[in-house]
């Protein structure tokens, strides 16, 4: 059977006309062509154009703008206090959001890992915030923090965190924690889902053997679970850090960067410059700085990984 | 024998107790949205922090559905999200299939291209895409949004579809090609029907992503006729920021399609990721 079909195949192949052979070589490229065309036209070309804007004076409402101005935008940026404030805010925003999302996500993944009655329903419900559109979670939390319709200021005042039920979003010292709360609420499911998937790939006999050897729950967690999860944790936290640093939706919706730039992060500052000031040149210059920072971050991570690998 | 049983009992108390806290935190903001949306205006301030108003009403929903532009925004968002989801599903199943089944020259660069698109901040593209699209008539246009969202979602969807194609044995196409079917016909008639769960997951993910997108919609759309739901809701909020009942009723409406598509994909979430993790 196999020999005859192989023979037939060989005969057919030698008889294949040039055009069909060409079609066979071209086939994978035809499958990927739409993807490549879309990515190049809608993402790479604008990226390059955007990089060039950073060195040009592009004001949407000014028909005489468009000239090359070299590094002028970057000189302005160096003395722009809003920009430096945004840098500081980005660090707080990213670090606090990712750390809290990760911590609560890890606990949730642990809780959902073992089967128990009602798990499918509870799992679907605790993951629900992930499905809420980001603009809506921003609005929802802004309303929750509003003392007129929301309960949070009253609760916070009742337990003594706030001296009076006021909106923390208009308090320059506390405002950043509003979007952070919304972001943590919204991002816990992502970490929980990813970590749960990793937890379920740990062979359960590892735990059984450890339990027989007398290891307690905490020992099992630190000696088995954490080492197994380490690669997943590392990659998820690193990628998520970049993602959260770029995530401007909640801030644009909840505070628009205010009060007095105290919640402005770099990516929301880029958006504000482009969307409200219509200053595309300056927006692109900030974007270039953000891109360089992200590249440095990724590079530092690679170096760190390399350094950590050598001793072992 | 008493002690371990007791310890197990208190373990499960703690377990369910913690889960109850998670459930409360996850659901309370959504519950509050619903609560305010059914609170009549005259009770809104006097019963501000009561958990449920003494009298519930659907008047805000009625008003939003009959006298506002929200049905139009809703329709626009459905067109954009469904259009994007379908376009991405088609394009990504083709490229995901190529990634799963072919070794071709340039594959490395193709993967690199898609990974790069996942790394840089998309907010960088807001200004240049606006500049590119406005002479083409693609601003204030749903088609323009569909094109942008399709490009943004195709790379992730390609990797997702590839993992589903990887799960289907290659022998199926080999058998079909011995029977004389062309490869593309085998792909369409044999392989695609088997990846329907994968296509459903892709549709769900992409629909949710397009439904939620805010920044590009704000930048590219300035006319009411072409506004998507986020744009419409935000302009409503900045114009009528005292009408909490109506705003939250509109918010509840925006939540419905997102929750439906979440129900569609939530069972693939952990399974899909676990399969990926096992494969390494």
């Amino acid at each position: 059977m196999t020999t005859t079909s192989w023979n037939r195949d060989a005969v057919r192949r030698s008889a294949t006309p040039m055009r069909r052979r060409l079609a066979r070589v071209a086939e994978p490229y035809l499958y990927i062509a739409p993807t490549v065309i879309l990515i190049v036209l809608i993402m790479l070309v604008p990226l390059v154009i955007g990089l060039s804007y950073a060195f040009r004076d592009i004001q949407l409402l000014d028909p005489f703008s468009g000239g090359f101005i070299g590094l002028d935008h970057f000189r302005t940026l160096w003395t722009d206090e809003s920009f430096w404030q945004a840098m500081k805010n980005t660090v707080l925003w990213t670090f606090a959001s990712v750390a809290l999302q990760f911590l609560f996500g890890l606990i949730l993944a642990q809780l959902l890992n073992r089967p128990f009655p009602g798990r499918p329903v509870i799992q679907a419900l605790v993951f629900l915030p992930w499905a809420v559109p980001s603009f809506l979670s921003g609005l929802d939390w802004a309303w929750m923090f509003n003392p007129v319709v929301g309960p949070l200021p009253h609760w916070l005042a009742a337990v003594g965190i706030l001296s009076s039920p006021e909106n923390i979003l208009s308090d320059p010292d506390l405002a950043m924690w509003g979007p952070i709360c919304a972001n943590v609420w919204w991002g816990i499911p992502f970490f929980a889902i990813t970590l749960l998937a990793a937890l379920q790939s740990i062979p359960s006999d590892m735990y059984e053997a450890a339990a027989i050897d007398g290891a307690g729950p905490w020992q099992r967690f630190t000696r088995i679970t954490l080492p197994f999860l380490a690669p997943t944790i590392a990659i998820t936290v690193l990628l998520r850090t970049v993602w959260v640093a770029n995530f401007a939706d909640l801030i644009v919706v909840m505070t628009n960067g205010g009060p007095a730039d105290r919640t402005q992060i770099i990516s929301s500052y880029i958006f504000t410059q482009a969307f409200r000031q219509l200053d595309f040149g300056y927006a692109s210059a900030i974007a270039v700085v953000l891109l360089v920072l992200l590249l440095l971050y990724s590079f530092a991570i690679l170096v760190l990984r390399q350094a950590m690998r050598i001793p072992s | 024998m008493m002690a371990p049983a007791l310890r197990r009992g208190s373990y499960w108390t703690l377990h369910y107790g913690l889960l109850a806290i998670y459930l409360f935190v996850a659901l309370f903001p959504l519950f509050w949205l619903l609560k305010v949306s059914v609170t009549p205006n005259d009770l809104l301030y006097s019963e501000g922090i009561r958990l449920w108003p003494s009298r519930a009403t659907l008047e805000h929903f009625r008003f939003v559905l009959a006298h506002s532009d929200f049905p139009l925004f809703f329709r626009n968002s459905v067109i954009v999200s469904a259009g994007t989801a379908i376009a991405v599903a088609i394009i990504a199943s083709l490229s995901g299939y190529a990634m799963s089944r072919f070794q071709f020259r340039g594959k490395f660069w193709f993967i690199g291209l898609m990974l790069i698109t996942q790394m840089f901040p998309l907010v960088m593209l807001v200004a240049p895409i606006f500049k590119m699209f406005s002479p083409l008539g693609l601003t204030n246009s749903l088609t323009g949004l569909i094109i942008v969202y399709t490009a943004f979602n195709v790379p992730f969807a390609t990797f997702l579809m590839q993992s589903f194609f990887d799960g289907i044995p290659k022998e199926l196409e080999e058998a079909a090609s011995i029977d004389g079917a062309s490869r593309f016909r085998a792909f369409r008639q044999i392989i695609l029907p088997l990846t329907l769960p994968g296509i459903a997951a892709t549709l769900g993910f992409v629909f949710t992503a397009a439904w939620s997108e805010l920044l590009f919609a704000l930048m590219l759309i300035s006319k009411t006729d072409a506004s998507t739901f986020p744009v419409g809701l935000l302009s409503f909020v900045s114009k009528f920021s005292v009408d909490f009942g109506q705003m939250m009723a509109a918010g509840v409406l925006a939540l419905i399609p997102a929750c439906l598509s979440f129900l569609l994909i939530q069972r693939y979430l952990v399974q899909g990721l676990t399969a990926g993790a096992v494969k390494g």
Side-chain angles (χ1 to χ4, degrees):
Chain A
M1 247 328 261
T2 39
T3 40
T4 50
S5 79
W6 183 84
N7 276 339
R8 221 190 320 148
D9 209 30
V11 169
R12 201 168 40 180
R13 191 177 302 151
S14 64
T16 308
M18 187 64 186
R19 261 179 55 197
R20 287 194 52 188
R21 219 177 313 163
L22 194 70
R24 185 167 299 174
V25 175
E27 199 178 359
Y29 299 104
L30 293 176
Y31 286 124
I32 65 168
T35 303
V36 173
I37 292 169
L38 259 181
I39 293 178
V40 169
L41 282 186
I42 307 297
M43 299 182 83
L44 282 197
V45 170
L47 181 67
V48 174
I49 294 179
L51 293 179
S52 79
Y53 283 180
F55 306 96
R56 292 172 63 186
D57 173 30
I58 305 255
Q59 312 259 358
L60 194 60
L61 295 180
D62 179 0
F64 300 107
S65 66
F68 277 87
I69 53 164
L71 296 175
D72 275 8
H73 285 315
F74 295 96
R75 267 179 226 119
T76 318
L77 205 57
W78 188 253
T79 53
D80 180 353
E81 271 178 43
S82 303
F83 170 74
W84 292 107
Q85 180 67 44
M87 289 277 264
K88 267 188 263 169
N89 293 339
T90 307
V91 173
L92 171 65
W93 156 257
T94 310
F95 181 75
S97 302
V98 173
L100 293 172
Q101 286 178 355
F102 167 71
L103 181 68
F104 292 124
L106 180 63
I107 297 173
L108 181 58
Q110 282 283 334
L111 291 173
L112 291 172
N113 190 28
R114 274 207 239 165
F116 56 86
R119 183 171 72 162
V121 178
I122 291 180
Q123 180 173 312
L125 290 176
V126 290
F127 287 171
L128 195 58
W130 181 82
V132 176
S134 53
F135 66 92
L136 192 59
S137 13
L139 281 177
D140 196 7
W141 278 90
W143 291 328
M144 298 271 290
F145 280 118
N146 185 332
V148 176
V149 285
L152 291 181
H154 304 278
W155 291 353
L156 290 174
V159 294
I161 296 176
L162 291 179
S163 53
S164 63
E166 272 163 31
N167 196 339
I168 66 163
L169 296 179
S170 44
D171 178 336
D173 293 324
L174 293 174
M176 196 41 143
W177 291 97
I180 290 176
C181 276
N183 195 14
V184 171
W185 177 78
W186 193 68
I188 288 174
F190 169 82
F191 270 103
I193 291 166
T194 319
L195 294 171
L196 184 57
L199 278 177
Q200 292 187 343
S201 65
I202 303 178
S204 59
D205 40 348
M206 298 277 292
Y207 289 108
E208 283 153 27
I212 290 168
D213 290 344
W218 179 249
Q219 264 181 316
R220 272 175 291 176
F221 178 73
T222 52
R223 297 291 167 80
I224 302 175
T225 312
L226 277 187
F228 255 101
L229 288 187
T232 312
I233 291 175
I235 194 93
T236 323
V237 168
L238 295 180
L239 290 178
R240 200 61 178 176
T241 304
V242 175
W243 195 90
V244 168
N246 292 332
F247 180 47
D249 293 26
L250 291 175
I251 286 171
V252 168
V253 168
M254 292 177 77
T255 62
N256 238 322
D261 284 332
R262 293 304 282 271
T263 60
Q264 196 76 277
I265 61 169
I266 303 272
S267 61
S268 67
Y269 194 44
I270 296 171
F271 183 74
T272 312
Q273 288 298 326
F275 177 63
R276 294 203 195 284
Q277 315 293 331
L278 298 174
D279 190 340
F280 288 6
Y282 196 52
S284 298
I286 311 168
V288 168
V289 174
L290 177 61
L291 193 64
V292 170
L293 290 176
L294 290 174
L295 284 176
L296 285 178
Y297 172 81
S298 314
F299 186 69
I301 297 303
L302 281 178
V303 171
L304 208 66
R305 258 188 67 174
Q306 213 62 29
M308 272 164 41
R309 202 175 283 167
I310 288 163
S312 64
Chain B
M1 281 328 279
M2 266 302 275
L6 205 70
R7 200 148 16 119
R8 184 154 304 161
S10 64
Y11 168 78
W12 283 109
T13 315
L14 180 68
H15 190 266
Y16 277 106
L18 285 174
L19 277 177
I21 296 174
Y22 270 101
L23 272 178
F24 175 78
V25 173
L27 298 181
F28 186 76
L30 300 176
F31 162 76
W32 200 257
L33 197 66
L34 189 69
K35 180 243 157 187
V36 177
S37 72
V38 298
T39 306
N41 274 336
D42 54 317
L43 296 181
L44 193 57
Y45 304 108
S46 56
E47 297 186 354
I49 55 166
R50 262 175 71 132
L51 282 185
W52 193 252
S54 53
R55 188 156 47 81
T57 171
L58 290 177
E59 65 177 284
H60 300 307
F61 286 93
R62 230 172 278 137
F63 183 88
V64 162
L65 288 175
H67 303 291
S68 74
D69 287 325
F70 281 104
L72 173 70
F73 302 150
F74 198 89
R75 190 198 66 128
N76 287 342
S77 263
V78 169
I79 293 174
V80 169
S81 310
T84 306
I86 293 168
V88 170
I90 294 170
I91 295 172
S93 31
L94 290 172
S95 54
Y97 184 69
M99 292 267 289
S100 170
R101 291 299 198 263
F102 292 93
Q103 287 303 325
F104 53 91
R105 201 181 291 188
K107 190 175 181 179
F108 174 81
W109 294 105
F110 179 58
I111 297 174
L113 179 72
M114 287 196 296
L115 287 179
I116 287 171
T117 64
Q118 303 296 292
M119 292 306 289
F120 68 83
L122 289 178
V123 73
M124 285 185 77
L125 305 183
V126 165
I129 284 187
F130 182 87
K131 272 277 203 183
M132 277 171 68
F133 274 26
S134 72
L136 298 173
L138 289 172
T139 51
N140 280 318
S141 131
L142 299 182
T143 318
L145 278 187
I146 294 179
I147 294 173
V148 173
Y149 294 171
T150 303
F152 290 174
N153 283 294
V154 150
F156 167 74
T158 297
F159 291 123
L160 189 67
M161 285 307 296
Q162 181 200 356
S163 73
F164 281 99
F165 286 123
D166 283 346
I168 294 172
K170 277 186 182 155
E171 288 74 20
L172 283 175
E173 290 124 291
E174 280 159 20
S177 81
I178 287 168
D179 291 344
S182 79
R183 183 136 199 173
F184 187 64
R185 222 177 109 200
F187 168 68
R188 253 183 354 198
Q189 299 189 336
I190 299 168
I191 307 301
L192 267 190
L194 289 171
T195 38
L196 277 183
I199 292 172
T202 307
L203 287 172
F205 273 109
V206 176
F207 186 94
T208 313
W211 187 268
S212 314
E213 207 287 328
L214 173 69
L215 301 186
F216 282 83
L218 278 177
M219 190 75 214
L220 293 178
I221 306 286
S222 56
K223 290 209 176 85
T224 313
D225 330 340
S227 285
T228 55
F229 213 100
V231 179
L233 189 57
L234 276 192
S235 66
F236 186 83
V237 167
S238 49
K239 250 184 264 168
F240 308 97
S241 60
V242 283
D243 220 319
F244 287 104
Q246 287 172 20
M247 289 193 293
M248 298 208 197
V252 172
L253 293 180
L255 200 55
I256 295 170
C259 287
L260 287 181
S261 74
F262 172 72
L263 289 179
L264 177 75
I265 53 175
Q266 75 98 12
R267 66 199 173 102
Y268 300 111
L269 280 177
V270 176
Q271 280 172 359
L273 285 165
T274 319
V278 171
K279 256 181 277 144

